[in-house]
Amino acid sequence: MRRICPVKRSVRFPASTTLLRRLALASIIANVAIVVTGGAVRLTASGLGCPTWPRCTDASYTTTSEMGVHGVIEFGNRLLTFAVGAIALAVVVGVLLHGARRRALLPLAIGVLFGIPAQAVVGGITVLTNLNPWVVGLHFLASMAVIAVAYALWRRIGEPDGPTAPTVPGPLRTLALVTTVVSVAVLVVGTWVTGSGPHAGDQGAARNGLDPQSISQVHADGVFLLIGLSVALVFAFRAVGARRAERAALVLVAVELSQGLIGFVQYFTHLPAAMVAAHMLGSCLVLLATLAVLWSTRERRPTEVPTPPTPAETPALTPA
């Protein structure tokens, strides 16, 4: 009697590319959320709710009842870092098990994963320096850098592995790149405005010494320049028939106008906490919309696999 051997089947990762992309999107959302909650820490004057780092107090890693609501808020924001890190770790594991594409995706996934503890370390330095406004600004910018890498990973997962090709003429790609640089500059100057304003994160925290009115004007000038460049991109993309890039630029203009409106309202209403929090969320959305425009100026095309010749095309052998 013949013995039937079981057929060995290869083990495959059960998650699809769609699931992996959803995990990457969740990573973007989580990193944006921690920016907003970090702003809540500062806006509620809870920046030193845990007066040391990495412990919350000299004797405890967790908040104590004596520390009150400020300790709860600050410690809660620290706990959220672990949730954001867990999502990033899930993305890395998914990429490792995804097979052929891991070589292209893994550097970005690891960048997000290691960027989160690096950002947390900068946050710890802000506590150890008693909320130095320049370090606080760097803490915010570190989060924005992680968001940018997470966005790149999300977009890259949805693309094939072929070479990139421009979708618009070279000068328009340069204009999109200049717009991106200006967008980043506006974010940087925005941290200077925050460092000069009333929301220090703690009643005893220092300010950066810049005149709030003057630096706010510099920030507003940068915003006007950014909006002008973005509107120019809309018309330029329309002129060359780049519909996808045009739609991305229109979204960017809409986000910028909304963010600008929030900025003016918060300035003339003397920086209420709710408006400042909305402005921080808007900063993240401006960055994401800017990156979407930059991404729309190129596309990645699948690598062409040579097809074998058909029997009619196969040369006949000549007898010797």
Side-chain angles (χ1 to χ4, degrees):
M1 185 176 180
R2 293 183 61 186
R3 183 180 178 184
I4 301 176
C5 297
V7 178
K8 293 183 179 180
R9 296 182 179 179
S10 59
V11 178
R12 295 185 179 181
F13 180 49
S16 63
T17 299
T18 301
L19 178 57
L20 186 58
R21 200 159 190 251
R22 287 174 180 173
L23 283 172
L25 179 59
S27 181
I28 296 174
I29 295 172
N31 279 284
V32 171
I34 203 169
V35 169
V36 177
T37 58
V41 171
R42 180 168 54 83
L43 295 170
T44 57
S46 303
L48 294 178
C50 288
T52 187
W53 187 89
R55 294 182 176 182
C56 196
T57 69
D58 290 334
S60 174
Y61 281 96
T62 62
T63 184
T64 62
S65 58
E66 292 80 5
M67 301 171 68
V69 66
H70 294 308
V72 173
I73 293 173
E74 164 65 6
F75 182 68
N77 186 63
R78 293 187 183 187
L79 284 180
L80 185 58
T81 301
F82 291 98
V84 177
I87 296 174
L89 179 60
V91 175
V92 170
V93 173
V95 169
L96 287 172
L97 298 176
H98 200 60
R101 301 202 63 207
R102 62 185 178 187
R103 179 178 297 180
L105 302 177
L106 191 57
L108 292 172
I110 291 178
V112 175
L113 179 62
F114 282 91
I116 293 169
Q119 186 261 10
V121 169
V122 177
I125 295 174
T126 66
V127 174
L128 297 177
T129 58
N130 294 319
L131 305 182
N132 180 290
W134 300 105
V135 182
V136 172
L138 181 61
H139 184 44
F140 171 78
L141 295 175
S143 294
M144 301 302 272
V146 174
I147 290 173
V149 179
Y151 178 82
L153 174 62
W154 176 69
R155 292 298 297 259
R156 188 68 183 87
I157 292 172
E159 293 180 334
D161 286 332
T164 57
T167 59
V168 298
L172 296 190
R173 292 198 71 191
T174 301
L175 180 59
L177 182 59
V178 170
T179 304
T180 303
V181 172
V182 172
S183 181
V184 172
V186 167
L187 291 176
V188 173
V189 177
T191 65
W192 302 348
V193 176
T194 300
S196 69
H199 296 294
D202 184 80
Q203 295 179 354
R207 301 285 72 202
N208 59 20
L210 298 175
D211 178 61
Q213 186 173 1
S214 298
I215 196 62
S216 295
Q217 184 61 56
V218 173
H219 182 58
D221 292 342
V223 171
F224 287 132
L225 174 60
L226 178 61
I227 293 175
L229 290 171
S230 303
V231 171
L233 282 174
V234 171
F235 287 102
F237 290 151
R238 180 176 301 175
V240 298
R243 298 304 178 192
R244 185 168 68 98
E246 180 190 346
R247 287 192 298 269
L250 281 170
V251 171
L252 175 59
V253 171
V255 173
E256 289 168 349
L257 291 176
S258 301
Q259 175 74 337
L261 177 61
I262 294 172
F264 277 112
V265 171
Q266 72 169 4
Y267 181 80
F268 289 109
T269 55
H270 306 291
L271 304 175
M275 295 302 297
V276 176
H279 199 58
M280 294 185 70
L281 174 61
S283 298
C284 299
L285 298 180
V286 168
L287 174 65
L288 292 171
T290 303
L291 294 174
V293 170
L294 189 63
W295 218 272
S296 69
T297 62
R298 33 77 73 201
E299 64 180 0
R300 195 175 292 273
R301 297 171 180 173
T303 303
E304 295 184 1
V305 179
T307 56
T310 60
E313 297 172 346
T314 304
L317 297 177
T318 304

